[in-house]
Amino acid sequence: MMAQNNNQEIYLAGGCLWGVQEFFRYIPGVILTEAGRANGSSQSIDGEYDGYAECVRILFDPDQLSVNNLISHLFEIIDPYSINKQGPNSGRQYRTGVYSRSQIHLLIAREFIEQREDSPNIAVEVLPLDNYVKSHKKHQDRLMRMPNDPCHLSKDLLHKYRKI
């Protein structure tokens, strides 16, 4: 389901969702960020998510911000060669990815990756969105509320984008 008006959504995974959400909230053209999990198979009784990638749902205005630009920003904050690991966090939930219900978004993401010289070595998933689950309230806007919590993104990088 696409967002109302001309706004569009895309789901980006770049390691721990706290930092990814905080980073994208300050990009001009981003309307809303929401911490969640995507493309897993189930949630267990104890609340663990099986196979899900931590991601951020991004609602954006395509007249102000292109999908290509969003993916370029994602590549600023990830190690695109790392498999199931970003910063100090490791595990399948920390894999990187671009997920969308829009085939056009997925095509743009694939073309972005293919245009890079190192494209055969890039470990970023580009897949249709499946089984998105919004994260619990305590994970929403975590670094905005608790800026001293650990994050794989540098405080300098986050501070730079807060000023835009």
Side-chain angles (χ1 to χ4, degrees), residues 6-26:
N6 191 35
N7 299 332
Q8 297 180 15
E9 8 176 76
I10 196 165
Y11 300 74
L12 302 178
C16 177
L17 53 80
W18 298 346
V20 177
Q21 182 181 28
E22 185 69 6
F23 175 79
F24 278 100
R25 102 172 44 259
Y26 296 103

Side-chain angles (χ1 to χ4, degrees), residues 28-91:
V30 170
I31 296 163
L32 173 135
T33 61
E34 176 183 272
R37 290 168 172 75
N39 288 32
S41 56
S42 64
Q43 182 179 1
S44 66
I45 295 171
D46 61 1
E48 291 299 313
Y49 294 92
D50 185 26
Y52 280 84
E54 290 195 7
C55 73
V56 175
R57 174 183 166 245
I58 298 172
L59 182 66
F60 68 98
D61 179 348
D63 293 331
Q64 295 181 43
L65 181 62
S66 70
V67 171
N68 199 61
N69 201 320
L70 278 164
I71 296 165
S72 178
H73 282 300
L74 176 67
F75 271 65
E76 287 182 59
I77 61 170
I78 64 170
D79 174 354
Y81 315 105
S82 183
I83 298 171
N84 299 333
K85 182 179 186 323
Q86 290 295 312
N89 305 112
S90 62

